[in-house]
Amino acid sequence: GIQVEQSPPDLILQEGANSTLRCNFSDSVNNLQWFHQNPWGQLINLFYIPSGTKQNGRLSATTVATERYSLLYISSSQTTDSGVYFCAVERKTGGYQKVTFGIGTKLQVIP
Amino acid sequence: SQTIHQWPATLVQPVGSPLSLECTVEGTSNPNLYWYRQAAGRGLQLLFYSVGIGQISSEVPQNLSASRPQDRQFILSSKKLLLSDSGFYLCALNRYTDTQYFGPGTRLTVL
């Protein structure tokens, strides 16, 4: 099956710093999503981004499908950004979209 | 917009006991439904997916089973729990190329 690698696995930032999270995938995909899991376990979709660049406030994401990677940018980080960030890729298999997750990047933003 | 309900929120069960976790969906019809397990706060593993009533596919062989008796109901079961079944169980849905949405999860501890 498709492999999804995320880096770095862990990241500690000072509040206000910027960071870039990377997601590499081993095969062509139909779509890609970035999720944030808060300390209570809730997974929230950040971006649905099969290609191109999107921005939402202090977050932006870029996917280069032809080179099989995606980047998530966090600017001016805040303590509420702490949690685990997952990249998930989708491939259509047998009539449904199979989703494969990376193992995540655990981010801690310290005041 | 769609809403996913999961219960119970937390569960502590002895080894060898049965399990039933329920996921119900509101605000959409004929969704694709998924059960994921997350161990040790990282890495989501797809357990089951369903494209319709009575249609269940398993991604990995395991001690668990799933059923979809109604369009908006997805149940995860086990006849005899193992210690290795402990984890955070997440129900998710999507429709066609829509983004994937997650429920609040059930935290299961098997003692």
Side-chain angles (χ1 to χ4, degrees):
Chain A
I2 193 168
Q3 304 298 313
V4 181
E5 296 180 354
Q6 289 187 244
S7 59
D10 297 275
L11 184 60
I12 299 176
L13 293 177
Q14 197 76 39
E15 197 170 25
N18 303 328
S19 64
T20 300
L21 281 56
R22 187 177 180 102
C23 172
N24 292 332
F25 43 98
S26 62
D27 206 343
S28 61
V29 298
N30 299 112
N31 288 301
L32 185 144
Q33 299 178 70
W34 283 98
F35 292 90
H36 175 227
Q37 187 172 37
N38 64 25
W40 297 272
Q42 181 67 52
L43 272 158
I44 304 296
N45 177 270
L46 299 175
F47 293 102
Y48 184 76
I49 184 167
S51 64
T53 298
K54 291 185 178 180
Q55 182 158 6
N56 184 3
R58 295 180 296 102
L59 302 181
S60 64
T62 295
T63 297
V64 184
T66 53
E67 297 186 21
R68 298 180 185 168
Y69 74 89
S70 183
L71 302 173
L72 178 69
Y73 306 95
I74 304 174
S75 63
S76 305
S77 58
Q78 301 176 359
T79 55
T80 51
D81 295 331
S82 296
V84 183
Y85 289 81
F86 289 101
C87 167
V89 300
E90 299 178 36
R91 295 192 71 183
K92 190 168 184 179
T93 304
Y96 88 107
Q97 293 281 7
K98 179 176 178 179
V99 181
T100 303
F101 280 76
I103 64 168
T105 292
K106 187 173 183 179
L107 173 64
Q108 184 181 358
V109 181
I110 56 178
Chain B
S1 63
Q2 55 268 344
T3 305
I4 304 173
H5 301 280
Q6 287 188 246
W7 63 87
T10 59
L11 189 60
V12 180
Q13 292 284 96
V15 169
S17 63
L19 173 74
S20 181
L21 301 181
E22 189 160 347
C23 168
T24 59
V25 176
E26 294 179 355
T28 188
S29 60
N30 196 30
N32 294 327
L33 295 175
Y34 305 79
W35 277 112
Y36 290 89
R37 177 170 60 202
Q38 185 179 33
R42 303 285 291 271
L44 277 74
Q45 178 187 35
L46 177 63
L47 302 175
F48 299 96
Y49 64 89
S50 172
V51 300
I53 296 173
Q55 300 178 65
I56 309 294
S57 295
S58 174
E59 282 295 303
V60 293
Q62 59 215 320
N63 184 43
L64 303 169
S65 62
S67 62
R68 187 169 176 178
Q70 301 179 42
D71 181 49
R72 301 176 191 180
Q73 185 184 30
F74 203 24
I75 298 172
L76 184 69
S77 305
S78 174
K79 293 182 180 178
K80 289 185 178 182
L81 282 170
L82 306 173
L83 287 174
S84 57
D85 292 325
S86 293
F88 189 47
Y89 288 82
L90 289 154
C91 178
L93 72 82
N94 68 1
R95 295 190 74 240
Y96 308 108
T97 59
D98 287 347
T99 191
Q100 194 162 64
Y101 296 92
F102 283 83
T106 294
R107 202 165 299 278
L108 172 65
T109 302
V110 182
L111 301 176

